[in-house]
Amino acid sequence: MKFTKMHGCGNDYVYVNCFEEKIENPEELSKKVSDRHFGIGSDGLILILPSDVADFRMAMYNADGSEGNMCGNGIRCVGKYVYDYGLTDKMSISVETKSGIKYLELFVEEGKVATVKVDMGTPVIIAKEVPVIFDKEKMIGEKVEIAGKEYEMTCVSMGNPHAVVWVEDTNNLDLEKIGPVFEKHEMFPERVNTEFIQIIDRHEVNMRVWERGSGETWACGTGACATAVACILNNKTEDEVLVHLLGGDLKIQYDKEKNCVFMTGPATTVFEGEFL
């Protein structure tokens, strides 16, 4: 199986061109290739496939083999892959995901895609649709106790469920301990991605993320979008936010009139290879 290793702000995946390759069991393959000691090493597996309703289709699998609905960093790399490898010559493309069709604008430098802007769609803040089990219609700025500590939490879905909480300092988090507690908490029937956010000012935040099925990752595109929406809903930032992640920066804009979120960030090819 031929593959390409790519990353968006350090959120790395193994990409397979399924116009040429046939994958029988992507769940098991994702676990194998993701292993950083015995495999290729990644946060998961992303397949690039034909689509009947868009230019391309993306299927993404987490490191534990579970299928995800959407990946913001991953979809930017899909845009780079299909342009750089000649599957399209268009600068604006559509990609089918389990969370609907997403629209990408490609920015090319020296013949290769360098950055991608993605229309990430409408944020979902109705609790039962996120989903989060809560006794109010929405969970916005609510106090919750997790593992004996109180957090201010806002829940948003950007195709995946996200719990956004604010902390004093993202550098001093025992994420390996607290992350799984959030992920598997009973209030989240489909598990949850948790973003731990430190406000810098009205335009910038620091973010660390614990992703369901993958653990801590260096970046999460849908998480950065959910973070910006949560910050804006709680009047902590303006409508455009620069999100600093371990692997780089993402620019997130929330268009209140259209009620949609735009994400702009880099996409990088690491290497190509063949998995035997």
Side-chain angles (χ1 to χ4, degrees), residues 28 40 49 55 89-90 116 161 166 182 190 206 227 247 263 267:
E28 285 302 313
I40 299 166
L49 304 125
D55 293 318
D89 59 1
K90 298 194 296 185
V116 180
W166 289 273
F182 275 88
E190 297 179 8
N206 290 333
T227 290
M263 172 191 64

Side-chain angles (χ1 to χ4, degrees), residues 217-244:
T217 59
W218 278 40
C220 176
T222 57
C225 293
T227 290
V229 171
C231 288
I232 293 161
L233 289 176
N234 288 278
N235 195 30
K236 295 180 183 291
T237 66
E238 301 301 325
D239 293 353
E240 187 170 300
V241 184
L242 187 64
V243 181
H244 301 292

Side-chain angles (χ1 to χ4, degrees), residues 41-192:
S42 67
D43 292 325
L45 171 72
I46 290 182
L47 309 181
I48 302 171
L49 304 125
S51 171
D52 294 328
V53 295
D55 293 318
F56 302 95
R57 180 165 71 90
M58 176 182 90
M60 63 87 58
Y61 298 85
N62 297 307
D64 67 353
S66 61
E67 186 173 5
N69 293 336
M70 171 58 187
C71 175
N73 292 310
I75 201 170
R76 292 201 315 277
C77 290
V78 169
K80 177 176 177 61
Y81 186 101
V82 297
Y83 184 90
D84 288 3
Y85 286 90
L87 277 67
T88 186
D89 59 1
K90 298 194 296 185
M91 306 302 293
S92 296
I93 64 169
S94 58
V95 178
E96 178 189 358
T97 75
K98 286 192 72 176
S99 295
I101 298 174
K102 306 301 178 185
Y103 298 91
L104 283 62
E105 187 175 353
L106 313 179
F107 298 93
V108 175
E109 297 178 7
E110 298 180 353
K112 303 288 185 181
V113 170
T115 58
V116 180
K117 182 177 182 180
V118 186
D119 181 346
M120 297 290 285
T122 300
V124 174
I125 56 176
I126 303 301
K128 66 180 180 181
E129 296 177 8
V130 171
V132 54
I133 298 171
F134 192 56
D135 58 5
K136 297 180 183 178
E137 183 184 28
K138 303 172 184 177
M139 181 179 258
I140 298 176
E142 298 286 349
K143 296 290 195 299
V144 297
E145 185 175 306
I146 305 287
K149 184 176 179 179
E150 188 176 74
Y151 295 89
E152 179 187 347
M153 179 186 290
T154 295
C155 290
V156 180
S157 174
M158 291 299 309
N160 298 323
H162 293 274
V164 180
V165 298
W166 289 273
V167 297
E168 292 292 328
D169 183 4
T170 52
N171 290 325
N172 294 316
L173 286 175
D174 190 355
L175 206 53
E176 291 289 334
K177 180 179 179 180
I178 190 64
V181 181
F182 275 88
E183 177 185 357
K184 299 172 183 177
H185 196 280
E186 61 185 9
M187 73 173 68
F188 303 112
E190 297 179 8
R191 297 187 294 169
V192 76

